[in-house]
Amino acid sequence: MTDKTTSATVLVIEDNPLNMELVCDILDSYNYRVLRSERAEPGISLAQEHLPDLVIMDISLPGMDGLTATRLLRSDPNTRNIPVLALTAGAMRGDERRALAAGCDSYISKPFEIDVLLREIERLLSNRLREGTS
Ligand code: MN
C-alpha cells in the first residue's frame, strides 16, 4: 500500500453482515477510512454527503438494488466520477455484464479472495489519483 491510498475514504454498501464485516475489517487493517450502509438509499446519501474516494457496491440488496444505486450515483454530477467496485454473485450469470452496463468501473465475484479485493481497490484508487480532480 502507498501512503496516498491509505487515507482514502471507502463507502461499503452491503446487506450481508458477514461480507460487510469482512470487507470493513480488510479496509480498517489497511487504514482506509470506512463508511458503511446496509441499504442503497442511505448509502447514496452518505456518498453525496462525504464524496468517498471509492464505493464498494453489493449488487443484490433488499429494496433498491446496487445497479439502480450505481445509476443514481452516475446521474448526479457530484458523485458521477466516484469509482464503483461491484460485488457480484459469481453464480448469477450476467451479473458482471449488468454491473458494467450500469456504470460500475469493475466487479469482483463473491466469494472473493482478499488479495484480489485489495488489488482492485488499489487499482481504482490509483486511477482516480492519476485523473486528479476532473
Ligand atoms: Mn446482498
PDB file of all heavy atoms in Angstrom, residues 13-16 19 58-62 87 110, ligand 1:
ATOM      1  N   ILE A  13     -21.429  -0.527   0.591  1.00  0.00           N
ATOM      2  CA  ILE A  13     -22.878  -0.742   0.620  1.00  0.00           C
ATOM      3  C   ILE A  13     -23.102  -2.236   0.436  1.00  0.00           C
ATOM      4  O   ILE A  13     -22.888  -2.785  -0.655  1.00  0.00           O
ATOM      5  CB  ILE A  13     -23.592   0.083  -0.475  1.00  0.00           C
ATOM      6  CG1 ILE A  13     -23.266   1.577  -0.319  1.00  0.00           C
ATOM      7  CG2 ILE A  13     -25.110  -0.158  -0.417  1.00  0.00           C
ATOM      8  CD1 ILE A  13     -23.848   2.473  -1.398  1.00  0.00           C
ATOM      9  N   GLU A  14     -23.492  -2.906   1.492  1.00  0.00           N
ATOM     10  CA  GLU A  14     -23.565  -4.382   1.505  1.00  0.00           C
ATOM     11  C   GLU A  14     -24.546  -4.797   2.593  1.00  0.00           C
ATOM     12  O   GLU A  14     -24.428  -4.326   3.731  1.00  0.00           O
ATOM     13  CB  GLU A  14     -22.149  -4.924   1.773  1.00  0.00           C
ATOM     14  CG  GLU A  14     -22.059  -6.373   2.207  1.00  0.00           C
ATOM     15  CD  GLU A  14     -22.493  -7.358   1.148  1.00  0.00           C
ATOM     16  OE1 GLU A  14     -21.642  -7.781   0.339  1.00  0.00           O
ATOM     17  OE2 GLU A  14     -23.696  -7.703   1.124  1.00  0.00           O
ATOM     18  N   ASP A  15     -25.521  -5.633   2.240  1.00  0.00           N
ATOM     19  CA  ASP A  15     -26.535  -6.015   3.224  1.00  0.00           C
ATOM     20  C   ASP A  15     -26.174  -7.275   4.003  1.00  0.00           C
ATOM     21  O   ASP A  15     -26.758  -7.538   5.047  1.00  0.00           O
ATOM     22  CB  ASP A  15     -27.894  -6.218   2.541  1.00  0.00           C
ATOM     23  CG  ASP A  15     -27.884  -7.400   1.594  1.00  0.00           C
ATOM     24  OD1 ASP A  15     -27.011  -7.416   0.690  1.00  0.00           O
ATOM     25  OD2 ASP A  15     -28.716  -8.304   1.746  1.00  0.00           O
ATOM     26  N   ASN A  16     -25.231  -8.046   3.492  1.00  0.00           N
ATOM     27  CA  ASN A  16     -24.862  -9.282   4.191  1.00  0.00           C
ATOM     28  C   ASN A  16     -23.880  -8.968   5.320  1.00  0.00           C
ATOM     29  O   ASN A  16     -22.782  -8.463   5.060  1.00  0.00           O
ATOM     30  CB  ASN A  16     -24.243 -10.271   3.191  1.00  0.00           C
ATOM     31  CG  ASN A  16     -23.815 -11.569   3.855  1.00  0.00           C
ATOM     32  OD1 ASN A  16     -22.844 -11.590   4.598  1.00  0.00           O
ATOM     33  ND2 ASN A  16     -24.536 -12.629   3.597  1.00  0.00           N
ATOM     34  N   ASN A  19     -20.266 -10.457   5.041  1.00  0.00           N
ATOM     35  CA  ASN A  19     -19.497  -9.807   3.985  1.00  0.00           C
ATOM     36  C   ASN A  19     -19.099  -8.389   4.381  1.00  0.00           C
ATOM     37  O   ASN A  19     -17.986  -7.949   4.118  1.00  0.00           O
ATOM     38  CB  ASN A  19     -20.301  -9.749   2.695  1.00  0.00           C
ATOM     39  CG  ASN A  19     -19.878 -10.822   1.717  1.00  0.00           C
ATOM     40  OD1 ASN A  19     -18.701 -11.129   1.602  1.00  0.00           O
ATOM     41  ND2 ASN A  19     -20.840 -11.397   1.034  1.00  0.00           N
ATOM     42  N   ASP A  58     -22.497  -3.803  -3.264  1.00  0.00           N
ATOM     43  CA  ASP A  58     -23.142  -5.094  -3.456  1.00  0.00           C
ATOM     44  C   ASP A  58     -24.263  -4.904  -4.480  1.00  0.00           C
ATOM     45  O   ASP A  58     -25.009  -3.928  -4.420  1.00  0.00           O
ATOM     46  CB  ASP A  58     -23.695  -5.584  -2.113  1.00  0.00           C
ATOM     47  CG  ASP A  58     -24.362  -6.941  -2.208  1.00  0.00           C
ATOM     48  OD1 ASP A  58     -24.020  -7.711  -3.125  1.00  0.00           O
ATOM     49  OD2 ASP A  58     -25.221  -7.229  -1.358  1.00  0.00           O
ATOM     50  N   ILE A  59     -24.365  -5.821  -5.434  1.00  0.00           N
ATOM     51  CA  ILE A  59     -25.408  -5.693  -6.453  1.00  0.00           C
ATOM     52  C   ILE A  59     -26.762  -6.140  -5.923  1.00  0.00           C
ATOM     53  O   ILE A  59     -27.786  -5.527  -6.200  1.00  0.00           O
ATOM     54  CB  ILE A  59     -25.025  -6.499  -7.718  1.00  0.00           C
ATOM     55  CG1 ILE A  59     -23.797  -5.881  -8.378  1.00  0.00           C
ATOM     56  CG2 ILE A  59     -26.184  -6.572  -8.693  1.00  0.00           C
ATOM     57  CD1 ILE A  59     -23.942  -4.409  -8.728  1.00  0.00           C
ATOM     58  N   SER A  60     -26.755  -7.204  -5.138  1.00  0.00           N
ATOM     59  CA  SER A  60     -28.009  -7.739  -4.611  1.00  0.00           C
ATOM     60  C   SER A  60     -28.297  -7.149  -3.236  1.00  0.00           C
ATOM     61  O   SER A  60     -27.700  -7.534  -2.236  1.00  0.00           O
ATOM     62  CB  SER A  60     -27.912  -9.273  -4.531  1.00  0.00           C
ATOM     63  OG  SER A  60     -29.074  -9.794  -3.953  1.00  0.00           O
ATOM     64  N   LEU A  61     -29.219  -6.197  -3.208  1.00  0.00           N
ATOM     65  CA  LEU A  61     -29.589  -5.521  -1.963  1.00  0.00           C
ATOM     66  C   LEU A  61     -31.100  -5.574  -1.817  1.00  0.00           C
ATOM     67  O   LEU A  61     -31.817  -5.589  -2.823  1.00  0.00           O
ATOM     68  CB  LEU A  61     -29.145  -4.049  -2.011  1.00  0.00           C
ATOM     69  CG  LEU A  61     -27.641  -3.764  -2.029  1.00  0.00           C
ATOM     70  CD1 LEU A  61     -27.388  -2.312  -2.414  1.00  0.00           C
ATOM     71  CD2 LEU A  61     -27.011  -4.086  -0.684  1.00  0.00           C
ATOM     72  N   PRO A  62     -31.622  -5.577  -0.587  1.00  0.00           N
ATOM     73  CA  PRO A  62     -33.070  -5.518  -0.406  1.00  0.00           C
ATOM     74  C   PRO A  62     -33.573  -4.137  -0.821  1.00  0.00           C
ATOM     75  O   PRO A  62     -32.887  -3.136  -0.623  1.00  0.00           O
ATOM     76  CB  PRO A  62     -33.254  -5.749   1.096  1.00  0.00           C
ATOM     77  CG  PRO A  62     -31.960  -5.346   1.714  1.00  0.00           C
ATOM     78  CD  PRO A  62     -30.895  -5.596   0.685  1.00  0.00           C
ATOM     79  N   LEU A  87     -19.749  -5.800  -6.119  1.00  0.00           N
ATOM     80  CA  LEU A  87     -19.622  -7.159  -5.595  1.00  0.00           C
ATOM     81  C   LEU A  87     -20.755  -7.960  -6.204  1.00  0.00           C
ATOM     82  O   LEU A  87     -21.928  -7.704  -5.917  1.00  0.00           O
ATOM     83  CB  LEU A  87     -19.717  -7.171  -4.069  1.00  0.00           C
ATOM     84  CG  LEU A  87     -18.633  -6.405  -3.310  1.00  0.00           C
ATOM     85  CD1 LEU A  87     -18.877  -6.509  -1.799  1.00  0.00           C
ATOM     86  CD2 LEU A  87     -17.251  -6.931  -3.649  1.00  0.00           C
ATOM     87  N   LYS A 110     -18.370 -12.830  -5.809  1.00  0.00           N
ATOM     88  CA  LYS A 110     -18.357 -13.477  -4.492  1.00  0.00           C
ATOM     89  C   LYS A 110     -18.448 -14.988  -4.683  1.00  0.00           C
ATOM     90  O   LYS A 110     -19.176 -15.430  -5.560  1.00  0.00           O
ATOM     91  CB  LYS A 110     -19.529 -12.981  -3.644  1.00  0.00           C
ATOM     92  CG  LYS A 110     -19.451 -11.503  -3.328  1.00  0.00           C
ATOM     93  CD  LYS A 110     -20.437 -11.144  -2.239  1.00  0.00           C
ATOM     94  CE  LYS A 110     -21.674 -10.492  -2.794  1.00  0.00           C
ATOM     95  NZ  LYS A 110     -22.557  -9.949  -1.732  1.00  0.00           N
TER      96      LYS A 110
HETATM   97 MN    MN B   1     -26.508  -8.709  -0.896  1.00  0.00          MN
END
